[in-house]
Amino acid sequence: DSGFASATLGQDSQRARLVEWKERLEHHARKVDLLLQGTLKMPEDIMGAIPTPAQLDAAYAHVDAHREASPNADADTLLGVYADAFRGVYDDAPGRIVDDTSRASWSDAEKDAMSTHGLAAIRAAITPTLLSELQSVLLETWRQSGDADFLRRSLLVADLVTSEEHRLYRHLTQPQLADMLMRMRAAALEMLAANQ
């Protein structure tokens, strides 16, 4: 009998650890989804130039204070808080940073790289990777957790790419679009197979 009780307790413990692992996985996947969607949906016209570390610290302090005050805020609310925090970093002239004397000694190339169009170039370069990673994280979380919401979200990445509001498709090459379509097809087939 004692061997049976130990085996049962061991199995219960293993199941509890698996449930805890799945909950952490889903929590982290939701956080990645929120942050990447927020990054990808940020309008370029409010981005301005790349802020200094001090300006980022101030903006993130505002966001962190809101997250502590409202820990259960939904994604749209948090995106608004991010937009407000970073909108305050810039002045009215696009691409110019408010009260930033640390850039006075920079070369023209450094200033150009940190300008609005420098940030647009960086965004164009990383957008395909962010989209791919977002879709992969959501699809793999579905596969590991079985939560169909992640499978549905992975398919909604296509809406984000094709949205005329965000126009992220501009940053994808033909092969990158083809790769994304193949992954969307695989996700759609998984959804059909799972009868979701």
Side-chain angles (χ1 to χ4, degrees):
D1 285 316
S2 64
F4 176 77
S6 295
T8 302
L9 288 174
Q11 290 172 346
D12 288 347
S13 174
Q14 189 175 16
R15 272 188 236 120
R17 284 194 309 268
L18 180 61
V19 167
E20 182 181 328
W21 175 81
K22 284 183 179 181
E23 288 173 354
R24 281 195 321 267
L25 173 69
E26 290 173 2
H27 169 77
H28 290 298
R30 283 186 185 92
K31 190 172 184 177
V32 166
D33 183 27
L34 173 69
L35 293 173
L36 288 180
Q37 291 248 6
T39 300
L40 291 164
K41 288 179 178 179
M42 183 70 66
E44 287 183 24
D45 61 336
I46 70 163
M47 286 181 151
I50 297 174
T52 64
Q55 291 166 323
L56 286 175
D57 287 344
Y60 278 114
H62 171 76
V63 171
D64 289 342
H66 185 277
R67 290 176 92 179
E68 286 178 20
S70 304
N72 296 322
D74 65 0
D76 289 335
T77 301
L78 286 177
L79 288 176
V81 171
Y82 275 103
D84 289 345
F86 286 95
R87 193 174 291 119
V89 171
Y90 305 102
D91 64 7
D92 293 333
R96 297 188 43 98
I97 299 290
V98 176
D99 192 27
D100 183 17
T101 57
S102 66
R103 297 177 190 235
S105 63
W106 288 6
S107 71
D108 287 343
E110 289 172 316
K111 289 177 186 174
D112 187 50
M114 299 297 279
S115 69
T116 303
H117 62 276
L119 183 58
I122 292 170
R123 181 183 178 133
I126 65 169
T127 294
T129 301
L130 292 178
L131 288 166
S132 176
E133 291 300 317
L134 175 60
Q135 205 270 338
S136 294
V137 163
L138 294 170
L139 189 56
E140 194 57 36
T141 302
W142 142 252
R143 290 175 181 153
Q144 296 299 319
S145 72
D147 185 340
D149 185 51
F150 289 102
L151 179 57
R152 183 188 59 76
R153 288 181 190 193
S154 75
L155 290 168
L156 291 176
V157 173
D159 291 342
L160 181 62
V161 171
T162 59
S163 162
E164 279 301 317
E165 178 182 359
H166 307 296
R167 299 175 38 189
L168 297 176
Y169 54 82
R170 298 175 299 148
H171 305 300
L172 298 171
T173 63
Q174 287 281 5
Q176 290 167 332
L177 278 171
D179 179 59
M180 180 158 282
L181 287 172
M182 290 301 294
R183 284 187 280 119
M184 292 296 164
R185 178 185 176 274
L189 290 173
E190 284 189 45
M191 182 176 267
L192 288 172
N195 292 320
Q196 298 293 332

